[in-house]
Amino acid sequence: MNLKYFNFIKWVFHLFFLILISNLFKSCLFKNEIITPINPIPAKRQINWQQMEYYAFIHFNMNTFTNKEWGYGDESPATFNPIELDTDQWARIIKEAGMKGIILTAKHHDGFCLWPSIFTEHSIKNSPWREGKGDLINELSLSCKKYDLKLGIYLSPWDRNHDAYGKPEYINYFRGQLKELLSNYGEIFEVWFDGANGGDGYYGGANEIRHVDKKTYYDWTNTYKIIRQLQPNAVIFSDAGPDIRWVGNEKGYANETTWSNLYRDSVYAGMPDFQRFSSGQEEGTHWIPTETDVSIRPGWYYHPEQDDQVKSLEKLIDIYFNSVGLNSALLLNIPVDFRGLIHENDALQLKKLSNFLKSTFSQNLAIKSSINVDSSKKKYPIENVNDGDEETFWTTNDGIIKATLKLSFKKPVLANVFKISEFIPLGQRIKSFRFEIKSNQKWETIKEGSTIGNKRLIRFKTCEIDAIRFSILDSKSSPIISELGLYKAPDYK
Ligand code: FUL
């Protein structure tokens, strides 16, 4: 071998050795900086969904014209005729309300379809609307694109119109419809399956009661596969998940303790005592966060006699804080009226809520504070919770599950809302906390609570704040906080 070649090999070998040593050294040095997730953790699609926080439900279908909440399934398609229908109006109002998407009742329990499904005659294609040539899902998907909103689909598993409901053939029909909806209207962010299943109905003229085994009839495992295949980024909602679960009531209130963790196999859609699971389970094996669905009026559908019963601003604010602010998402229903428009009274309340939220969260007063804590992992300093970046976070040294974050203000600030968020991609951890305020040189405990998760919002009486203490009293492992905030909400009463 010539000497030149030998020296070159030697040189390469040395270089390789040096790189190896330096990597070994680095991994020893930063060993303590690696953070192990606490399972279960969210999938990317669940993280994207959780960031939406506030989006609209629209109940608009046959019931809008029959003034009912649940149609029997024998309604004539000729009844459906919204002469002023304008999905741009829906999308504009919803966008201005600060919401991020719309889920529409493509088919409710009465089986009437808002798109011209090839599998049934019970659809808008046999209605006078747009002379039977319309496609409401298509119109809404175009409006959503125009206003940069995401589109979701409510498809009722229960179908009181279809003659085969309760028999195995119906499942093929249901899946055929699902495929149409997931193939022809662009990106779908959420597929919503209702827990109400089986009972009396028209069923193609049989007019009888049909019961199904809610656990087995739909063969959900294979139905979900269709969704994953056609819309891999969509989250699937049902009482029990698999991606998002029901909060357990239709009043707009999540539980004080809300774990995104759940033993998935302990629950199923439509099970009788579902409310027992509204807090989730600290040791749950799957990540299935809650969604809080509530209507802006008493009914899900539009009823003219409820025009003066649109929820007050005070009530809507309360709902927002008790859903988004309790580790949940708010799915607020707006019943479109029989003209095919969002009613003026609903639009007004949505606007008031959005003005309130914009004004509240426009300025984060916490950035004026100096912040310290008793333990920090080197690469994750406490400043990360106050940098306006949800991707960066603070955490404690290994083995430390308690910590107190202290914010001090040089000049007192006037505030009444506190926000804190866990970095959920690494799992929900915090079990218990205390929130204290120092005002006029006196410390006061404002709140002792349990879970935080994606976001915890705490309201309190407006006061001049000198300092804040947020103590994490118990956690499944090192707590990880991504952001906190302090705000002054305007008076609204
Ligand atoms: C319930 C349904 O039965 C209601 O009609 C409505 O769609 C609501 C959102 O879910 O289970």
Side-chain angles (χ1 to χ4, degrees):
M1 193 189 291
N2 87 32
L3 194 64
K4 237 166 133 194
Y5 188 62
F6 177 76
N7 279 339
F8 177 71
I9 299 274
K10 219 168 93 184
W11 184 80
V12 171
F13 198 75
H14 275 148
L15 191 70
F16 178 74
F17 189 70
L18 265 173
I19 293 173
L20 193 81
I21 292 286
S22 97
N23 278 344
L24 268 174
F25 182 70
K26 258 198 253 163
S27 76
C28 286
L29 199 69
F30 292 123
K31 202 167 145 240
N32 284 339
E33 302 301 317
I34 294 161
I35 302 174
T36 320
I38 297 295
N39 286 322
I41 55 168
K44 186 81 182 86
R45 70 172 83 87
Q46 291 170 309
I47 296 173
N48 292 343
W49 162 83
Q50 191 101 53
Q51 284 165 354
M52 290 177 69
E53 291 192 347
Y54 176 38
Y55 45 97
F57 219 174
I58 288 188
H59 275 67
F60 175 72
N61 204 307
M62 186 57 84
N63 294 330
T64 313
F65 301 87
T66 54
N67 203 15
K68 284 185 182 165
E69 281 291 310
W70 280 12
Y72 188 68
D74 61 348
E75 297 79 13
S76 161
T79 319
F80 185 90
N81 195 16
I83 46 181
E84 290 176 57
L85 188 132
D86 178 6
T87 50
D88 272 1
Q89 188 249 16
W90 310 1
R92 181 177 48 74
I93 291 172
I94 284 163
K95 182 74 183 183
E96 282 171 11
M99 295 163 137
K100 300 288 185 324
I102 302 178
I103 301 179
L104 175 65
T105 48
K107 180 183 90 165
H108 203 247
H109 310 327
D110 56 61
F112 189 74
C113 302
L114 296 183
W115 77 105
S117 171
I118 60 162
F119 302 110
T120 180
E121 291 305 304
H122 200 54
S123 86
I124 41 133
K125 71 184 175 200
N126 290 316
S127 80
W129 178 67
R130 308 254 192 272
E131 293 166 348
K133 294 185 182 68
D135 182 342
L136 189 34
I137 308 299
N138 187 44
E139 288 191 21
L140 184 60
S141 81
L142 295 176
S143 298
C144 282
K145 275 192 197 101
K146 185 164 163 189
Y147 286 91
D148 190 26
L149 290 165
K150 295 186 179 182
L151 175 66
I153 291 295
Y154 172 118
L155 182 69
S156 171
W158 184 21
D159 190 321
R160 300 172 98 187
N161 173 265
H162 203 270
D163 59 353
Y165 182 78
K167 301 176 188 156
E169 303 90 274
Y170 171 76
I171 301 306
N172 293 335
Y173 171 75
F174 180 64
R175 287 183 181 159
Q177 294 199 316
L178 190 60
K179 285 180 194 160
E180 287 182 320
L181 289 167
L182 301 184
S183 309
N184 301 330
Y185 305 101
E187 179 103 14
I188 300 295
F189 85 93
E190 178 166 341
V191 183
W192 214 95
F193 294 127
D194 205 296
N197 288 298
D200 63 340
Y202 174 68
Y203 303 126
N207 293 306
E208 59 188 14
I209 296 174
R210 291 187 183 173
H211 291 300
V212 297
D213 180 340
K214 291 174 184 173
K215 252 185 175 168
T216 56
Y217 177 57
Y218 296 100
D219 177 22
W220 284 117
T221 314
N222 285 310
T223 304
Y224 295 158
K225 280 186 190 155
I226 297 171
I227 304 173
R228 296 288 191 236
Q229 198 192 349
L230 296 175
Q231 295 279 348
N233 300 324
V235 284
I236 306 173
F237 168 95
S238 88
D239 287 357
D243 295 325
I244 314 169
R245 71 180 199 266
W246 188 39
V247 77
N249 68 76
E250 293 180 340
K251 295 190 171 74
Y253 290 77
N255 259 40
E256 254 299 300
T257 297
T258 301
W259 287 100
S260 293
N261 309 354
L262 197 74
Y263 291 109
R264 183 161 60 195
D265 299 334
S266 62
V267 293
Y268 61 90
M271 64 188 279
D273 54 350
F274 191 81
Q275 285 77 353
R276 281 205 298 124
F277 295 89
S278 44
S279 276
Q281 295 139 334
E282 187 184 316
E283 298 304 331
T285 47
H286 290 76
W287 184 271
I288 312 176
T290 65
E291 180 186 77
T292 304
D293 61 329
V294 60
S295 187
I296 198 164
R297 292 173 175 233
W300 291 102
Y301 279 94
Y302 178 78
H303 307 291
E305 63 276 18
Q306 293 179 355
D307 278 352
D308 58 356
Q309 292 178 54
V310 180
K311 288 189 170 56
S312 66
L313 174 62
E314 193 181 349
K315 182 72 181 166
L316 290 172
I317 293 171
D318 205 42
I319 285 174
Y320 185 89
F321 276 88
N322 282 287
S323 52
V324 174
L326 280 177
N327 190 27
S328 190
L330 174 56
L331 174 59
L332 180 63
N333 180 63
I334 303 136
V336 162
D337 68 18
F338 43 65
R339 294 173 299 174
L341 298 173
I342 293 180
H343 191 275
E344 296 70 2
N345 295 1
D346 306 56
L348 182 67
Q349 293 312 93
L350 288 173
K351 186 87 194 110
K352 285 188 198 164
L353 179 62
S354 104
N355 288 344
F356 171 86
L357 294 174
K358 269 188 210 143
S359 158
T360 301
F361 295 109
S362 60
Q363 201 196 353
N364 183 358
L365 302 163
I367 55 173
K368 296 184 177 172
S369 67
S370 62
I371 181 162
N372 62 60
V373 70
D374 28 15
S375 165
S376 281
K377 223 179 178 54
K378 211 160 153 208
K379 265 170 60 187
Y380 306 97
I382 191 63
E383 288 71 29
N384 285 356
V385 304
N386 216 358
D387 64 356
D389 182 352
E390 284 171 9
E391 299 297 313
T392 63
F393 54 81
W394 155 84
T395 189
T396 56
N397 277 319
D398 290 349
I400 308 231
I401 56 166
K402 291 180 188 190
T404 298
L405 286 68
K406 192 171 171 206
L407 281 74
S408 315
F409 295 89
K410 270 203 183 110
K411 269 210 259 150
V413 293
L414 201 64
N416 52 17
V417 172
F418 181 73
K419 174 193 93 173
I420 187 153
S421 296
E422 284 187 75
F423 185 73
I424 58 167
L426 291 171
Q428 190 180 347
R429 297 164 178 237
I430 295 169
K431 297 205 253 184
S432 143
F433 69 83
R434 183 186 308 121
F435 173 62
E436 297 160 285
I437 276 175
K438 188 178 175 194
S439 184
N440 289 325
Q441 302 309 312
K442 247 184 69 202
W443 280 104
E444 192 191 342
T445 298
I446 302 292
K447 173 104 195 152
E448 293 201 322
S450 50
T451 51
I452 295 176
N454 183 59
K455 191 178 274 188
R456 172 66 95 141
L457 294 171
I458 301 170
R459 287 183 289 174
F460 48 93
K461 230 174 97 226
T462 311
C463 62
E464 294 272 4
I465 297 177
D466 305 316
I468 279 175
R469 266 200 306 246
F470 189 88
S471 305
I472 296 158
L473 306 174
D474 196 7
S475 180
K476 289 172 93 170
S477 180
S478 285
I480 308 182
I481 301 292
S482 62
E483 277 301 291
L484 53 74
L486 185 68
Y487 307 93
K488 162 74 181 62
D491 295 334
Y492 54 87
K493 280 188 192 160

